[in-house]
Amino acid sequence: MDKLLRGIQPHTIDLCIFDLIPSFANVPYYFYYGNDANDSDFMPAEQLRESFYMALLEFPIIVVVDPDNLNIPEFLESQSSVHFRDLRAAKFSWDALPSGVATVGAITTADAAGIIKLANVHIVRLQDNSGIIVFINMSHYLVDGVGLFGFVNRWAEVCRWKRRGSAANDLPACHYIFERSSLLDKMPEDRKALNDPTLELITTTGPLVRWLAWVSPKTRGMLLSKAFSFMSVVGHTFHFSTSRLASLRASVQGYLPSDVRLSDNDILTALLSMVIAQSQAECKRDSASASYLSSLASYLFPSMYAPDSSFVTQIVIDTRPRLNGQSAPAYAGNAILTHCLVNSMESLTSGITEQALAPIAKSVRQLVNGVDSQIIGQYVDTLHKDLLRFMCPATYAFTKTTMLVSNQSRFPIYQADFGDGIPTWVSSVRALFPNFSSIKPAPPSTGGYVVYISMTEQNMAKLLQNRFWMSTNDMLY
């Protein structure tokens, strides 16, 4: 800590519209490490702590918000009576976690002292030194997944270096950059029009949008946290094996022309669109025929209960590789936007088959391929015309039948080796946001993908009853 305070160089980094859009959210993860070798020097606490503060010196944006008032991350350590073998036996289910591991939730909120911490770490040493859980969160104000995993992997690299006792010049240089101009300056002069659903996503304002954009971050976080707490959001995690997904992709591919080549992301996004649309539609039908109170709720909140003719899939796009001259891994700030795909509810809810998946997956491929630097420039220009629009995407789900898919399968999730090997398992927290899904790599020893979904309890119950969905994967927890 002392080295951090002495070494940090206060300066100001101006944030941009890419930072405002996800500013209400956190990016929290659990990293599970097993001490299978029963090493008494397994991930030593002092080295973990010292290397954390050394890594912060290279990621000053996490600490320096106001040059006169450093925002020092929360760093906690504790001991648990839970053994690592019990976590492994439970497939790392959230139910098996020791209590209190996650010190924050999905929404960026102020702590008891009224301060919004921009980073939180909790290291939990398990019974008999059998393993460690590293919980780390960063506010989406500052970074997206590239920045989060970039920091975790750098922290691990510095820790390995310290444990080896190597000379200072043996520590590889850190090449991440944080100045927002490094991204914004790559915008081209020419523009392309946004598609209608994406334009609607970022321009549909109203009293709620403008009020949430106007209030302070502390108030906004408190309000959103309370709102989501009333929605009974639950999460589940599913594993798609390489072989099973390859078989599904080959079957779907057979219904398309030979010049259309689908990726794993196309298949998974199409499948998620169909199963989530079906679960939402079934819940709305049930609600429409339920009690008087449900009828009243459907009148007051029609988008949440009334049948819809279309379904919007919000696809998270990383802009880095699409901006000319922008090195994909170098920029560690926020660089994502959401592009929307609309399908008719009828096409998504008539039954999931390989043939029905084919046109949906093709549409996903075309949408993702079509996002280029000119589209990104238009996206930024549209938001800059009215900065209060930054809260539009956050409130969109209250007016549309929709879901958001974030493909994180290329993130270096399983590279954080602090000197005793990579994590056995990495996962998000139990409940993030309603109608949210992410696609992550499975551990290298397993292969395939891990798909996380968070929905309301009612929608999730319908999803778990979908035979086609459940036949494509193994539900882990």
Side-chain angles (χ1 to χ4, degrees), residues 64-206:
V64 182
V65 177
D66 179 352
D68 299 319
N69 185 18
L70 299 185
N71 190 300
I72 303 298
E74 177 184 65
F75 190 95
L76 304 176
E77 299 169 271
S78 65
Q79 178 71 45
S80 172
S81 60
V82 175
H83 200 281
F84 188 82
R85 65 168 174 265
D86 298 324
L87 295 175
R88 178 180 276 146
K91 299 181 180 178
F92 304 100
S93 166
W94 299 298
D95 291 333
L97 273 170
S99 61
V101 177
T103 57
V104 296
I107 304 296
T108 300
T109 57
D111 61 16
I115 298 171
I116 294 178
K117 289 291 186 182
L118 300 178
N120 311 78
V121 172
H122 185 192
I123 296 176
V124 180
R125 195 165 296 272
L126 300 170
Q127 186 184 56
D128 300 330
N129 198 30
S130 59
I132 273 180
I133 303 171
V134 176
F135 171 77
I136 184 165
N137 167 72
M138 288 188 184
S139 171
H140 231 321
Y141 272 118
L142 304 179
V143 298
D144 54 22
V146 170
L148 173 80
F149 290 107
F151 174 79
V152 173
N153 292 338
R154 181 57 174 178
W155 174 17
E157 185 176 40
V158 173
C159 188
R160 292 197 309 273
W161 169 78
K162 284 185 65 65
R163 292 179 69 181
R164 289 195 305 265
S166 303
N169 57 6
D170 288 337
L171 178 63
C174 180
H175 297 293
Y176 284 103
I177 53 179
F178 308 96
E179 296 295 342
R180 273 47 184 170
S181 59
S182 67
L183 186 77
L184 298 177
D185 288 351
K186 302 299 187 297
M187 300 292 172
E189 293 185 5
D190 295 333
R191 297 289 187 263
K192 287 182 183 176
L194 301 175
N195 65 22
D196 289 340
T198 302
L199 188 63
E200 184 179 10
L201 170 74
I202 62 174
T203 60
T204 303
T205 59

Side-chain angles (χ1 to χ4, degrees), residues 16-25 140-141 201-202 220 224 314 334 336-338 379-380 383 387 389-395 404:
C16 69
I17 194 64
F18 285 117
D19 301 300
L20 283 176
I21 294 172
S23 61
F24 68 93
H140 231 321
Y141 272 118
L201 170 74
I202 62 174
R220 185 185 310 126
L224 291 175
Q314 302 178 55
N334 285 297
I336 57 176
L337 59 79
T338 303
Y379 193 95
V380 171
L383 287 165
L387 288 179
R389 289 174 174 173
F390 80 87
M391 280 303 299
C392 289
T395 59
L404 186 144

Side-chain angles (χ1 to χ4, degrees), residues 107-342:
I107 304 296
T108 300
T109 57
D111 61 16
I115 298 171
I116 294 178
K117 289 291 186 182
L118 300 178
N120 311 78
V121 172
H122 185 192
I123 296 176
V124 180
R125 195 165 296 272
L126 300 170
Q127 186 184 56
D128 300 330
N129 198 30
S130 59
I132 273 180
I133 303 171
V134 176
F135 171 77
I136 184 165
N137 167 72
M138 288 188 184
S139 171
H140 231 321
Y141 272 118
L142 304 179
V143 298
D144 54 22
V146 170
L148 173 80
F149 290 107
F151 174 79
V152 173
N153 292 338
R154 181 57 174 178
W155 174 17
E157 185 176 40
V158 173
C159 188
R160 292 197 309 273
W161 169 78
K162 284 185 65 65
R163 292 179 69 181
R164 289 195 305 265
S166 303
N169 57 6
D170 288 337
L171 178 63
C174 180
H175 297 293
Y176 284 103
I177 53 179
F178 308 96
E179 296 295 342
R180 273 47 184 170
S181 59
S182 67
L183 186 77
L184 298 177
D185 288 351
K186 302 299 187 297
M187 300 292 172
E189 293 185 5
D190 295 333
R191 297 289 187 263
K192 287 182 183 176
L194 301 175
N195 65 22
D196 289 340
T198 302
L199 188 63
E200 184 179 10
L201 170 74
I202 62 174
T203 60
T204 303
T205 59
L208 178 62
V209 169
R210 293 189 172 278
W211 182 61
L212 286 173
W214 175 78
V215 299
S216 71
K218 293 179 185 179
T219 301
R220 185 185 310 126
M222 180 269 293
L223 292 170
L224 291 175
S225 180
K226 287 186 179 297
F228 285 130
S229 70
F230 289 118
M231 299 182 73
S232 300
V233 177
V234 297
H236 278 291
T237 300
F238 308 85
H239 176 245
F240 284 77
S241 68
T242 302
S243 59
R244 205 183 300 186
L245 186 58
S247 176
L248 177 60
R249 187 179 66 245
S251 297
V252 174
Q253 191 75 60
Y255 292 98
L256 294 172
S258 58
D259 61 336
V260 178
R261 306 306 301 172
L262 299 176
S263 68
D264 290 343
N265 177 69
D266 302 331
I267 296 295
L268 290 172
T269 301
L271 182 56
L272 284 164
S273 297
M274 295 195 76
V275 71
I276 292 177
Q278 288 190 14
S279 68
Q280 292 184 17
E282 290 172 14
C283 282
K284 288 191 175 186
R285 283 197 296 268
D286 291 349
S287 297
S289 58
S291 65
Y292 169 77
L293 288 177
S294 295
S295 299
L296 177 61
S298 67
Y299 174 77
L300 295 174
F301 305 102
S303 65
M304 299 182 69
Y305 293 92
D308 290 282
S309 60
S310 61
F311 182 85
V312 181
T313 303
Q314 302 178 55
I315 301 176
V316 175
I317 304 288
D318 184 0
T319 65
R320 294 172 180 86
R322 292 172 166 82
L323 291 174
N324 296 329
Q326 175 62 50
S327 176
Y331 178 68
N334 285 297
I336 57 176
L337 59 79
T338 303
H339 215 52
C340 294
L341 174 67
V342 174

